[in-house]
Amino acid sequence: SRSRLIRSASHLSKKTRHNFYKKQLNLRIKMQQASGKVLTLESMNPCVKRLEYAVRGPIVARATQLEKELKSGATKPFSEVIRCNIGDCHAMGQKPITFLRQVIAVLSDPSLMDSDRYPADVKARAKRILEGCGGGSVGAYSASCGVPVIREDCAKYIEARDGIPANPENIFLTSGASEAVKAVLELLATGQEGADQPGVMVPIPQYPLYSASISQYNLQTVPYYLEESDNWSLSQAELRRAYDEAVGKCKPRALVVINPGNPTGQVLRKEIIEDVIRFAKEKNLFILADEVYQHNVYAEGAKFYSFKQVLHGMGDAYFKEMELASFMSASKGYMGECGFRGGYCELVNMDPEVQAMLYKQLSARLCSVVMGQAILDVIMNPPKPDEPSFAEHEREKSQVLGDLKLKAQMATETFNSIPGMRCNPVQGAMYAFPSIELPPKLIEEAKAKGMQPDAMYCTALLEEKGVCVVPGSGFGQRPGTYHFRMTILPPVEKLKKVMQIFKEFHESYVNRYK
């Protein structure tokens, strides 16, 4: 079965796993050919087969299996699997923001407009959204780029954030930011191969959405390394190295920047963003700014600057010429509403004819999830100081962000206290990405098993302690270095438990190979 195939290859290195799958696929191809199927692994889109997504990879599949085994009464060295592998806020115990869910409740059941249970500002938000929906119902299709009043509220949010006007016509709404990222990346694909194949510069470590989508659309990944010694910052020198090495192998056309960083948790300084923009202008690159964690900034002195805001501050030569797509989501921040799938993309200086083609492409999927659009609208247009829900909303928002700040500090301090681990300050986002020193014998054993050393480490952590994290090899890392990504989303007391587990596990596990 597919699940057995995944488990049997879950600990292998990428090369060994590729060979393993190739043998298995060849066997299946013969069987499928004999079956007379039109769509087989041999005849299907090869770009889809190349796609990999570590955040939901083999170790996570094993975590799911362990949970099933525990429920069936199996005896394990732990009583629960603690999932620290993905930024799924509510799954980790975060409570929904009351105001957001109240508006959603009224949108779902407009008869609640007559109820005394809901404050006037909740009803006002719901009324405005419903008036923008066909037939006054969120069950109707919206315009392909989104409900007009919600696009308007996104524009007002951006203007308030950056101090720069935003045009609703340059904003389109999507089912999560991921859909928007994929829509823009697809525009870059030309179908050309070799030296003319479009390349996309992607940070390493990176969020696997990018490498997966780049494979899906037959683009070429151009990796540039973040500077771990400078708190995962990036430099023009490294961007140039990556660009120059790619020329001749592909044609770099775009540059991805994730700020605040996933999986690395850094918040870029303004001068770094300026350097990135200068480089992109010099090389004529389209910028994709992943800014979904813009509310998640914790470190003292750290501040979120949007690429659009910095672009504007650099003058007309940049602001009126540089092509930029920026992305925002309802899934992160203090909201964590992952399941509603709400997101937006703002386009800056895109060729109007290309933008028309993009919007035509979006019309083929009719529209994004309207309830996702609605929850995004409430985030864009939160309660004002003179409205009845303001105090409760601010208290809940502050509680979530305050807990995340505490947990960011806890993770940083704990990992740095463990011999053989080092962790840059978690300045923002929802993740720690510590480096781990692994003994030569452990590395040799992992290679003999066809495994990545950090994957072997994370697998042992899961099997022995029930803690699920993602190996750094799933995000990319400098050769010879090893990491893992851990979300800081578990409740404070549970994260304390996880930190204690790491203290006990790391030393014990590493010492077995000394």
Side-chain angles (χ1 to χ4, degrees):
S1 71
R2 181 177 180 274
S3 61
R4 285 200 299 271
L5 179 61
I6 290 172
R7 288 199 301 276
S8 60
S10 63
H11 311 321
L12 303 180
S13 67
K14 186 174 182 180
K15 182 177 180 181
T16 307
R17 190 165 66 246
H18 172 78
N19 291 333
F20 175 85
Y21 283 144
K22 188 175 181 180
K23 291 179 182 178
Q24 296 291 324
L25 295 180
N26 286 336
L27 178 61
R28 288 186 176 189
I29 285 166
K30 292 177 181 178
M31 295 172 63
Q32 289 165 343
Q33 287 173 336
S35 73
K37 297 289 187 184
V38 172
L39 192 60
T40 68
L41 286 171
E42 186 179 47
S43 65
M44 71 173 287
N45 185 341
C47 298
V48 176
K49 288 191 285 188
R50 289 199 297 268
L51 187 152
E52 291 189 10
Y53 189 64
V55 174
R56 297 201 175 190
I59 290 177
V60 181
R62 176 59 181 153
T64 301
Q65 182 62 33
L66 286 171
E67 287 174 331
K68 291 179 180 177
E69 292 175 13
L70 284 170
K71 286 182 179 178
S72 67
T75 302
K76 301 291 179 184
F78 45 86
S79 59
E80 65 173 332
V81 173
I82 304 176
R83 288 181 174 267
C84 298
N85 60 291
I86 193 168
D88 192 349
C89 307
H90 292 187
M92 297 305 301
Q94 180 179 314
K95 301 299 182 187
I97 300 296
T98 301
F99 183 74
L100 272 63
R101 290 299 184 90
Q102 286 181 329
V103 175
I104 291 298
V106 177
L107 288 170
S108 300
D109 182 3
S111 69
L112 296 175
M113 288 280 194
D114 300 324
S115 171
D116 294 334
R117 292 178 55 195
Y118 295 96
D121 50 352
V122 166
K123 296 176 182 179
R125 297 300 191 286
K127 183 174 185 293
R128 184 169 186 272
I129 293 169
L130 288 172
E131 287 175 348
C133 294
S137 171
V138 289
Y141 290 128
S142 75
S144 58
C145 288
V147 176
V149 295
I150 299 178
R151 295 169 74 194
E152 290 169 12
D153 284 344
C154 289
K156 291 174 184 176
Y157 166 86
I158 293 167
E159 182 171 351
R161 182 194 67 192
D162 296 339
I164 307 163
N167 183 350
E169 293 302 313
N170 293 331
I171 297 167
F172 64 93
L173 308 183
T174 53
S175 296
S178 299
E179 185 184 46
V181 169
K182 291 166 75 72
V184 174
L185 285 175
E186 191 171 9
L187 290 178
L188 297 166
T190 61
Q192 293 174 299
E193 299 284 351
D196 292 323
Q197 184 179 19
V200 180
M201 300 187 70
V202 174
I204 300 297
Q206 56 109 10
Y207 179 48
L209 164 71
Y210 291 96
S211 56
S213 301
I214 286 167
S215 294
Q216 183 178 354
Y217 298 131
N218 199 29
L219 303 167
Q220 186 71 248
T221 297
V222 178
Y224 67 87
Y225 289 108
L226 300 179
E227 301 293 336
E228 187 169 9
S229 60
D230 187 25
N231 203 32
W232 298 113
S233 188
L234 56 94
S235 68
Q236 270 207 25
E238 172 57 18
L239 290 172
R240 291 184 188 284
R241 179 207 63 77
Y243 183 93
D244 291 344
E245 285 187 8
V247 172
K249 300 174 184 176
C250 68
K251 185 176 181 180
R253 301 188 70 197
L255 171 65
V256 172
V257 183
I258 307 173
N259 180 48
N262 176 10
T264 41
Q266 83 282 12
V267 179
L268 292 179
R269 302 187 298 274
K270 184 179 180 182
E271 59 268 25
I272 297 295
I273 299 175
E274 290 172 341
D275 282 346
V276 172
I277 291 171
R278 292 188 188 98
F279 173 81
K281 181 175 174 58
E282 176 190 331
K283 301 299 184 184
N284 194 31
L285 299 172
F286 190 109
I287 298 175
L288 288 83
D290 184 332
E291 298 175 337
V292 302
Y293 295 98
Q294 58 191 258
H295 289 289
N296 299 103
V297 178
Y298 320 119
E300 295 298 326
K303 182 180 178 180
F304 170 75
Y305 293 94
S306 76
F307 264 74
K308 182 183 179 184
Q309 181 184 24
V310 176
L311 199 63
H312 181 266
M314 295 175 72
D316 286 354
Y318 292 90
F319 187 64
K320 291 189 175 181
E321 296 180 15
M322 295 286 296
E323 294 163 274
L324 166 71
S326 63
F327 308 99
M328 176 56 175
S329 172
S331 300
K332 309 303 177 184
Y334 61 91
M335 311 80 66
E337 294 285 6
C338 303
F340 277 97
R341 310 309 298 137
Y344 77 65
C345 174
E346 184 188 20
L347 303 169
V348 177
N349 294 323
M350 179 174 275
D351 182 297
E353 292 181 340
V354 174
Q355 190 164 323
M357 292 296 104
L358 170 60
Y359 285 3
K360 178 184 72 174
Q361 174 186 310
L362 293 172
S363 69
R365 46 114 220 213
L366 295 178
C367 67
S368 63
V369 179
V370 175
M371 202 60 97
Q373 296 182 39
I375 204 154
L376 183 70
D377 182 79
V378 188
I379 297 162
M380 301 293 102
N381 184 19
K384 305 297 188 292
D386 60 346
E387 291 184 313
S389 299
F390 178 78
E392 181 181 43
H393 180 271
E394 290 302 295
R395 183 174 65 253
E396 292 177 348
K397 176 181 175 180
S398 297
Q399 180 68 51
V400 171
L401 295 176
D403 283 351
L404 285 169
K405 180 177 181 179
L406 173 64
K407 291 183 286 188
Q409 294 169 341
M410 185 193 308
T412 303
E413 291 170 3
T414 302
F415 286 137
N416 283 324
S417 73
I418 299 173
M421 279 196 187
R422 192 180 72 81
C423 186
N424 280 325
V426 181
Q427 295 182 313
M430 297 175 173
Y431 315 99
F433 197 71
S435 64
I436 47 176
E437 296 175 12
L438 300 177
K441 287 184 179 179
L442 188 156
I443 295 170
E444 291 168 10
E445 181 176 317
K447 290 179 179 178
K449 293 180 177 179
M451 298 176 66
Q452 291 289 343
D454 52 10
M456 192 168 92
Y457 178 96
C458 294
T459 300
L461 176 68
L462 175 61
E463 297 287 352
E464 297 179 22
K465 299 294 184 179
V467 175
C468 182
V469 296
V470 185
S473 50
F475 301 91
Q477 55 197 350
R478 285 188 183 273
T481 67
Y482 306 103
H483 302 79
F484 60 83
R485 189 190 80 164
M486 184 198 78
T487 179
I488 59 171
L489 289 175
V492 173
E493 291 307 313
K494 185 163 284 191
L495 189 64
K496 287 180 181 178
K497 178 181 176 181
V498 171
M499 293 292 95
Q500 185 59 39
I501 287 172
F502 270 108
K503 286 182 178 180
E504 297 167 358
F505 172 79
H506 182 78
E507 185 176 3
S508 170
Y509 183 68
V510 168
N511 283 343
R512 300 174 203 173
Y513 295 91
K514 289 185 177 178

